[in-house]
Amino acid sequence: MAFTFKFIIQLFLTMMLAAVFTPLVKLLAFRIGAVDMPNKRRINSKPMPTAGGIAIFLAFSLATLWEFRHDLFGTNVLPILVGALIVVITGVIDDVKELSPLQKITGLIIAALEIYYVAGIRINTMSIPFLGMFHLSWLSLPITILWILAITNAVNLIDGLDGLAAGISMIALVTIGIVSYFYLPDNGIVISIMIFTLVASIMGFFPFNFHPAAIYLGDTGALMLGFLISVFSLQGLKNVTFISVLTPMFILGVPITDTIYAMLRRFFNRQPISSPDKMHLHHRLMSLGFSHRGAVMTIYALAIIFSFIALLMNYASTTAIILLVIMTIFGLELFIELIGLVGENRQPLLHFLKFFGNRQFRQEVMQKYLQKRKDKSNKVGCPKRASDFSF
């Protein structure tokens, strides 16, 4: 009981620390030129200070190194902070000078290598249902780096509306913290302390970031939050099982889904993967008439649903988990097609359901198919003209 009360007080102090740092970071952002200027891709209509992630990082670092120094003594908290610092520096430079995608990825890879070799956080083995366990050996490094890069960039891509990335990150972190506390046998409590300390740091920053925002996370904050989420989720993936890899993927279902469909959309449109557009989940919701806050709250609700599914997976059998995954993917695809995330003309599941549920539509499709076959047959069977034989 004494530890719980002390822990709550320490989290409250961490939150206050972030709240104090945020206005100072706002002034610093204007001073160093970390400002988002209005343009056709931006939501803001006036210059906005960015790099707000510095306030979260400072509060989180001070709390873990000072307030919780006795609870976290002997852990790998310092190497984790060093990796996060590398990401923060990369993000600050990007917010000020706008790095190229290659330069940004280079900074993230350096941070991931530090986590792998110095912090010792990595994926060592993988267990596949009905097949058994496999030691990854040399594949451990690329898989670990790929996991960190994928989650980090997924969170960064979702950062398009006021308070969106910060809120999604808090929902994901709370869920990971609960899973860590109850399902990680070795150092679950230590990881939970670090996770909830980060949540408290985000909470102190959040009132300044929710619509109408006074400061943005920027790449500094979005990349850092994605990086730390990937690292904390890796703590339960040292020995990967079917459930341990699905849990964080479902917890981060919203940013991962948005990233996957963004890649598909650009592939179908024959655009570079790194090319920006205004077809992300939050953009589509706003184009359908959602208000700024309405779009953000809707995505929060989706994130909470994903988190509940992730928690349920820890109680279900393997067969039940497989069925749950299939039903979730089916429902998610239906939602994605309804809002036109890939494109309003790319709705295979809706067309499939409509084919069986709408007689008129079914007849139209069949008529078009038969006409197409008839035209093709006529084209093949028609005699060649004399000009076709000329040399």
Side-chain angles (χ1 to χ4, degrees), residues 36 40-45 48-50 154-169 205-206 208-219 222 225 254 258 277-300:
D36 264 355
K40 62 181 181 179
R41 284 187 51 238
R42 303 291 185 183
I43 300 295
N44 55 301
S45 57
M48 287 292 295
T50 183
V155 175
N156 188 40
L157 283 176
I158 202 70
D159 184 29
L161 296 179
D162 298 352
L164 184 54
I168 292 292
S169 297
F205 170 80
F206 190 72
F208 300 90
N209 185 236
F210 194 66
H211 185 73
I215 185 172
Y216 289 162
L217 270 175
D219 276 8
L225 290 179
V254 171
D258 193 42
D277 60 21
K278 295 193 73 172
M279 286 286 290
H280 288 284
L281 178 58
H282 49 279
H283 292 132
R284 291 303 303 158
L285 290 175
M286 293 189 72
S287 70
L288 292 172
F290 283 70
S291 66
H292 194 121
R293 288 193 178 192
V296 171
M297 297 304 291
T298 300
I299 298 175
Y300 286 172

Side-chain angles (χ1 to χ4, degrees), residues 10-28:
Q10 289 172 319
L11 292 181
F12 178 77
L13 292 175
T14 303
M15 184 175 66
M16 291 297 101
L17 202 59
V20 171
F21 281 139
T22 302
L24 300 177
V25 171
K26 180 180 177 180
L27 295 175
L28 176 65

